[in-house]
């Protein structure tokens, strides 16, 4: 056995040369440090060595240990620590190989994947205290103060070090942990983050991926990913359940409301069921300023987006941008009791002019899926609203019934039975619906299945909820289903883009995503539409084109009524009412976008929320207001041509209003018989405008009525004749028009 005794530093010609004489030792030591070899003893299966390192504190020693484990592929665990011993040591720790797990029972070693081998390898690190100028201390330890750290290595591992079986137990590196933390913060799940990391490793290392993926330091196992995920989100979102989670929720809600300066979120508990209602500033703006919010509202629930199976109810209305959110409900149950409690909280959050001025009455129509809890809850909280069923969900439920094994319906009969139900659903009159139901009862195939007869009878008894023929007078805009552009699309957006198909860690994170990511998504969508960036799906549905209709085929009857000539039948004409976005054609009968309405918008430059505002600057600003809350007077319009900028200031608008009032007062004094009754009616109507949205609508429509415009022109002409100046009347009309246009 050869032993190298420690020599005085001055006797060593080269420390590097000395270490190279012992490759089994030097190959394990990390580069970038100054070493002094004190002793070396070869042992069976390894060696025993003592090395001095030029490190003076605990931080440096800890950093060296991390580099040593990375370089030597050895993983160490703390075996024992020694406290500071005053004048001698700053730091002293004993380490063992992690393949010596010190098991608590004999059964632990019997597991197939046990890493315990009772490995005898050890390592000790001691950082000596600098003795200062005490000469006696210098004599005792000539390595001080430069080589203050002593490393004693007993490298006698009873297992292989550089092999896949050993690599799979290594500690995950700090760089990999940082990468996974970043992926989790972006919405990745443990499994999706691990798959992404493996793909990155495969692209980076190519042929060496086989070896890299076996090293747990570079490619962690799924269990570690889950533990890191839980540790990260425990810190960010608190407890996953229990009373602590309820407290964290309350604190989060209070913080958000304080930040917004409004009560946008409320929470309550009903018989152990937690309910949360949300109406953010974006949702409040849509409530007050988007007409469709008072007509048709979609409600649907989604489960499975949070680990403890909370239900998220989306409340939306339709628009050219797809579904727009009016609110969200989060409950721990889909029971009627929980839904009613959540809706009552939600009712307290909506603005006074919510549902486009209808307020507590709610919208005209709620469209839901076939959920008794949803429908009954809506009817209790909003009794003045009609509640109808989504046709898509009804037919989907029928299809599931036909395919259910216990009903024993032959496969070849299922399409025929579904067609019979469709015939009732889409019957154009109540009489036709009854005829189709009678025909169904007499059908030979139907008579084979008593269970289907019973099912069909139950459907028929609820026909008022789902039959299209009973919806003719409702403002549905041809929206008999929720799956096309609105609720189902919103749910897909919620799961794919907001949660990225990853369940929320707990209700606190679920609420946080609703208040941040969900709102941000709709803000971006509205801004894109305001900037003229139109999605292909929206383009196909909301830009039907004007076909072969020309400007001469569109006639204004009395604003907002127009008449559009048919393309194929010149003698046939369609009536279009732009105030309610309806047309007498088949598509536009219930307010759906049609080519006749689009022709009016295109040729008569009428504003409409039914179509994307490609060329309508005013409507684009209104969309921008819904997205950002910026008032019109604060918006600057940038035009590409010449890069000119037009700024709208409140001072200019106030001056324009005063000028208009003065002009109207002069006219009334000059022609009191004509204008006094009109002014009185105007004042009365203005006092009756109770909401902000109603005022906006009235101002938007001012000057567009045919009779009002004609009266204004005639009175102006008479006044100009009395003054003897036709040019004066022209200038006055032009200034009036400019004053109105400057407002928008």
């Amino acid at each position: 056995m050869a032993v190298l005794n420690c020599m005085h530093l001055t006797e060593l010609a080269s420390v590097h040369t000395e270490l190279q004489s012992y490759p089994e030792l030097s190959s394990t030591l990390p580069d970038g440090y100054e070493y002094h070899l004190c002793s070396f003893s070869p042992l069976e299966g390894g060696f025993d060595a003592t090395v001095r390192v030029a490190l003076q504190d605990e931080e440096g020693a800890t950093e060296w240990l991390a580099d040593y484990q990375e370089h030597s592929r050895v993983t160490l665990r703390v075996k024992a620590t020694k406290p500071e011993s005053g004048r001698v040591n700053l730091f002293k720790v004993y380490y063992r190989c992690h393949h010596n797990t010190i098991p608590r029972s004999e059964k632990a070693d019997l597991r197939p994947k046990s890493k315990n081998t009772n490995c005898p390898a050890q390592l000790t690190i001691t950082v000596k205290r600098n003795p200062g100028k005490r000469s006696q201390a210098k004599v005792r330890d000539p390595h001080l103060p430069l080589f203050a750290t002593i490393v004693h290595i007993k490298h006698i591992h009873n297992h292989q070090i550089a092999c896949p079986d050993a690599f799979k137990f290594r500690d995950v590196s700090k760089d990999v942990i940082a990468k996974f933390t970043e992926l989790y913060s972006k919405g990745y799940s443990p499994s999706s983050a691990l798959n992404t990391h493996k793909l990155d490793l495969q692209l980076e290392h190519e042929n060496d991926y086989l070896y890299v993926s076996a090293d747990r330091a570079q490619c962690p196992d799924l269990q570690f990913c889950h533990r890191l995920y839980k540790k990260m989100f425990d810190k960010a979102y608190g407890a996953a359940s229990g009373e602590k989670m309820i407290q964290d929720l309350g604190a989060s809600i209070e913080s958000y409301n304080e930040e917004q300066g409004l009560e946008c979120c409320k929470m309550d508990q009903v018989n152990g069921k937690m309910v949360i209602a949300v109406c953010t500033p974006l949702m409040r703006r849509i409530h007050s300023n988007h007409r469709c919010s008072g007509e048709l509202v979609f409600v649907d629930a989604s489960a499975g987006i949070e680990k403890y199976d909370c239900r998220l109810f989306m409340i939306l209305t339709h628009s050219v941008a797809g579904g727009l959110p009016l609110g969200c409900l989060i409950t721990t149950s889909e029971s009627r009791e929980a839904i009613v409690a959540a809706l009552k909280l939600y009712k307290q959050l909506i603005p006074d002019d919510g549902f486009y001025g209808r307020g507590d009455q709610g919208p005209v129509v709620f469209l839901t899926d076939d959920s008794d809890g949803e429908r009954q809850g809506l009817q209790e909280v909003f009794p003045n609203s009609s509640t109808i069923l989504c046709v898509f969900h009804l037919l989907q439920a029928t299809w599931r019934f036909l395919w259910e094994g216990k009903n024993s319906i032959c496969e070849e009969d299922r399409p025929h039975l579904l067609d019979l139900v469709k015939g009732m659903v889409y019957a154009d009159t109540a009489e036709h619906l009854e005829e189709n139901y009678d025909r169904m009862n007499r059908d030979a195939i139907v008579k084979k299945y008593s269970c289907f007869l019973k099912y069909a009878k139950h459907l028929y008894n609820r026909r008022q909820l789902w039959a299209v023929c009973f919806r003719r007078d409702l403002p549905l805009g041809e929206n008999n289903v929720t799956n096309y552009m609105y609720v189902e699309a919103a749910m897909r957006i919620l799961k794919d883009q907001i949660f990225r198909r990853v369940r929320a860690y707990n209700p606190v994170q679920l609420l946080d995503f609703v208040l941040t990511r969900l709102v941000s998504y709709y803000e971006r969508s509205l801004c894109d539409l305001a900037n003229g960036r139109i999605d292909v799906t929206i383009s196909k549905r909301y830009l039907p084109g004007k076909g072969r209709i020309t400007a001469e085929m569109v006639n204004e009857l009395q604003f907002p009524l127009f008449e559009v000539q048919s393309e194929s039948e010149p003698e046939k004409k369609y009536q279009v009412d732009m105030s309610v976005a309806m047309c007498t054609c088949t598509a536009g009968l219930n307010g759906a976008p049609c080519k006749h309405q689009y022709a009016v918008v295109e040729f008569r430059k009428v504003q409409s929320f039914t179509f994307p505002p490609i060329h309508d600057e005013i409507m684009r600003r209104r969309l921008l207001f819904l997205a950002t809350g910026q008032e019109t007077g604060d918006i600057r319009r940038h035009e590409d041509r010449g890069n000119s900028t037009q700024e709208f200031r409140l001072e200019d608008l106030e001056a324009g209003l005063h000028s208009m009032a003065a002009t109207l007062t002069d006219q009334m004094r000059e022609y009191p018989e004509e204008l006094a009754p009109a002014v009185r009616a105007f004042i009365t109507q203005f006092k009756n405008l109770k909401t902000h949205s109603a005022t906006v609508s009235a101002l938007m429509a001012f000057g567009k009525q045919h009779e009002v415009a004609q009266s204004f022109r005639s009175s102006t002409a008479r006044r100009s004749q009395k003054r003897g100046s036709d040019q004066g009347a022209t200038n006055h009309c032009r200034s009036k028009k400019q004053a109105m246009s400057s407002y928008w």
Side-chain angles (χ1 to χ4, degrees), residues 424-551:
M424 291 196 302
V425 170
Y426 293 109
D428 53 359
T429 64
E431 291 76 14
H432 287 167
L433 190 154
E434 293 180 6
E435 292 174 4
N436 291 339
Y437 180 63
D438 292 338
R439 189 180 303 113
M440 175 188 293
N441 288 328
R442 297 192 303 269
D443 190 278
I445 296 178
V446 173
K447 290 181 179 180
K448 292 165 50 179
Y449 307 106
S450 58
C451 61
F452 183 77
L453 277 170
K454 184 178 179 181
Y455 180 83
K457 182 179 180 181
H458 177 68
L459 282 182
Y460 182 74
N461 292 336
R462 305 165 67 223
R463 58 190 179 279
Q464 297 284 349
L465 295 175
W466 49 260
V468 173
C469 61
F470 294 113
R471 304 179 177 185
R472 299 301 182 189
D473 297 329
L474 298 178
L476 299 181
E478 224 177 41
N479 294 304
N480 288 303
V481 298
T482 61
N483 64 311
Y484 180 63
M485 283 286 293
Y486 309 119
V487 174
E488 296 301 324
M491 289 302 178
R492 185 173 63 253
I493 290 167
L494 186 73
K495 293 179 179 180
D496 290 348
Q497 302 193 35
I498 307 304
F499 289 93
R500 297 186 181 179
R501 292 288 170 182
V502 179
R503 287 192 175 195
Y505 178 69
N506 61 5
V508 182
Q509 188 189 37
L510 174 61
L511 177 63
D512 178 59
F513 279 19
V514 168
L515 296 176
T516 54
R517 294 188 180 188
L518 181 67
V519 173
S520 297
Y521 173 83
Y522 283 104
E523 287 176 353
R524 294 194 303 271
S525 297
L526 287 169
C527 286
D528 286 344
L529 194 59
N531 290 327
R533 298 183 176 183
I534 301 175
D535 181 77
V536 175
T537 306
I538 294 177
S539 175
K540 288 182 178 179
R541 177 169 172 81
Y542 290 103
L543 287 178
K546 56 185 179 294
R548 297 190 301 273
I549 300 176
T550 61

Side-chain angles (χ1 to χ4, degrees), residues 35-48:
Y35 297 102
H36 175 66
L37 180 61
C38 294
S39 66
F40 181 88
S41 300
L43 302 175
E44 184 179 355
F47 60 85
D48 188 314

Side-chain angles (χ1 to χ4, degrees), residues 201-213:
L201 290 178
Q202 190 174 12
L203 294 175
E204 179 181 356
H205 297 281
E206 296 182 353
N207 296 333
D208 292 333
Y209 172 74
L210 174 65
Y211 309 104
V212 174
S213 62

